[in-house]
Amino acid sequence: MKFSAVALALATAGSGVYGLEKRIVGGSAVSSSAFSFVTNIVIDGDSSTLVCTGALISPTVVITSAYCVADPISNKALASNRIAVGQGKISSILGSASSKIELTKVLAAGYAIPQTVNVHPGYNSIAYSDNVAVLVLEKPLVNATSANVGAKIIKKPSTTANAAYTAVGWGATSNDGASYPNQLQQTTLAVGSKSVCSDIWAPYTNLTNSLCLAPTKPSSNVCSGDGLLVKVATDQSVGLAGILNLVATEDDVPAVKCTEEGAVDFFTTFSNYIAWLTQITPLKESDFVSTASFSYDSADIDADDQSSSDSESDSDSFSDENSLDDVDSESSDASRNFKFAAPLVAMASVAFGALF
């Protein structure tokens, strides 16, 4: 694993609201009513207005990534007047030539300035640790009631290789971050094996608050810094699994571009922060932790979208049985591009620009 000059520069001076942004590229539109708990969070950056995604775990409590709402140098929370939380079309609040949020426009569009911004005390933008934050609103957003918040944290998300999850977000849909969707976007991801993921990002070996996944088709993925990971339960309620922490490849941590082949996604799992949430919010565990049952089917792979040859796909896998640990150095060049064949055929893409 190497840290490129670009990656190091981004990590030290360009993460958070100043650099790497967030998006779902190549995803599909989904009805926001199905995910009524999803919020978009608009941030005043130094040179531009950025967008990321959060989730209402109560009518007035939003969980998101620390990356979204923290200063990338100090790792401390941004001032609340630089943050606006809302739902619906991003265009209702963006469009000004100024990078600063206009309070009157924010309020007119039904957005709210958070009352408090809580970044986890262990957050470190260089180490990618404890990448979680909570915004507490003074009053509920328009139409945000207990009846339609609709999402609770999954206490034990599946870590089984190839288990399917959905990632959703409101961010930009193009590599240059120039366009935002009129509808919430989604894409499917699949859990990777511990050995393969640890080979890409060594700290994952010992982490208990992280889940590694990869896209199920090369043309669609989330991007660094944000992306809400969800799962629909057997009773059709929606569970929250985590928030995107890092997108990486074997050669670059973080990944250099959204379409980079062999990229995987590391999510911070919300279940590890239940006690912290009860300390910084008025909520009890029973208020925001799901008791529903979740069934994890294997991810479906878009065979028409695969980017590797059949011979490569037959030898490469995102499962433990064919992990990179078992491939000798002379024959592993193709494997180390992580084309994730059977059962995950060819998965690739990721990483930076503007969304969620």
Side-chain angles (χ1 to χ4, degrees):
M1 179 189 303
K2 69 179 181 180
F3 289 80
S4 69
V6 172
L8 285 173
L10 288 168
T12 56
S15 59
V17 297
Y18 301 100
L20 284 180
E21 300 166 359
K22 313 94 179 170
R23 79 181 129 259
I24 285 182
V25 174
S28 59
V30 60
S31 171
S32 56
S33 62
F35 298 102
S36 60
F37 56 89
V38 178
T39 69
N40 49 63
I41 302 171
V42 183
I43 310 294
D44 273 345
D46 278 359
S47 60
S48 63
T49 302
L50 306 181
V51 179
C52 53
T53 296
L56 288 161
I57 58 173
S58 87
T60 58
V61 178
V62 178
I63 191 166
T64 187
S65 63
Y67 176 103
C68 175
V69 296
D71 182 285
I73 305 301
S74 69
N75 296 316
K76 303 300 183 182
L78 296 173
S80 60
N81 62 3
R82 296 181 61 186
I83 303 167
V85 182
Q87 294 179 304
K89 295 181 180 180
I90 307 296
S91 58
S92 64
I93 190 172
L94 297 183
S96 171
S98 170
S99 65
K100 297 301 177 184
I101 293 175
E102 299 175 26
L103 183 59
T104 54
K105 191 173 184 179
V106 166
L107 299 177
Y111 281 67
I113 304 299
Q115 189 173 40
T116 60
V117 181
N118 302 280
V119 171
H120 193 279
Y123 174 60
N124 186 298
S125 59
I126 303 301
Y128 301 99
S129 60
D130 297 315
N131 190 359
V132 62
V134 169
L135 310 178
V136 179
L137 310 178
E138 184 176 2
K139 59 183 180 180
L141 298 174
V142 177
N143 297 324
T145 66
S146 297
N148 69 8
V149 166
K152 293 187 176 183
I153 290 172
I154 304 172
K155 196 163 189 177
K156 293 183 179 180
S158 175
T159 59
T160 302
N162 207 26
Y165 285 88
T166 299
V168 296
W170 273 108
T173 55
S174 60
N175 285 336
D176 60 7
S179 60
Y180 289 92
N182 287 324
Q183 284 185 273
L184 188 68
Q185 299 291 296
Q186 68 175 357
T187 191
T188 301
L189 304 175
V191 176
S193 74
K194 193 82 170 181
S195 59
V196 171
C197 294
S198 297
D199 190 77
I200 292 179
W201 188 43
Y204 185 69
T205 303
N206 299 314
L207 291 179
T208 59
N209 64 340
S210 189
L211 185 60
C212 173
L213 300 97
T216 54
K217 61 178 182 178
S219 61
S220 178
N221 196 20
V222 295
C223 288
S224 289
D226 203 18
L228 196 62
L229 193 67
V230 301
K231 186 69 180 178
V232 177
T234 53
D235 65 1
Q236 298 306 300
S237 64
V238 181
L240 300 171
I243 196 84
L244 187 62
N245 180 30
L246 167 70
V247 181
T249 67
E250 186 188 20
D251 289 333
D252 293 298
V253 181
V256 174
K257 58 182 180 179
C258 285
T259 55
E260 190 164 358
E261 188 173 0
V264 294
D265 312 324
F266 296 90
F267 284 77
T268 299
T269 48
F270 292 143
S271 57
N272 295 81
Y273 299 93
I274 292 172
W276 179 64
L277 286 166
T278 61
Q279 294 169 8
I280 62 169
T281 72
L283 303 177
K284 304 186 298 293
E285 180 175 327
S286 58
D287 294 331
F288 61 87
V289 175
S290 178
T291 58
S293 297
F294 294 86
S295 177
Y296 294 88
D297 296 330
S298 294
D300 293 327
I301 306 304
D302 186 348
D304 293 333
D305 201 19
Q306 70 183 75
S307 62
S308 60
S309 67
D310 290 341
S311 60
E312 288 173 324
S313 293
D314 288 341
S315 62
D316 303 329
S317 176
F318 202 43
S319 67
D320 282 315
E321 289 78 6
N322 295 303
S323 72
L324 297 188
D325 299 337
D326 301 324
V327 182
D328 65 61
S329 58
E330 292 184 357
S331 64
S332 64
D333 289 345
S335 296
R336 291 188 179 277
N337 285 329
F338 282 93
K339 298 202 171 86
F340 304 135
L344 290 190
V345 195
M347 298 190 288
S349 93
V350 267
F352 76 85
L355 161 304
F356 267 134

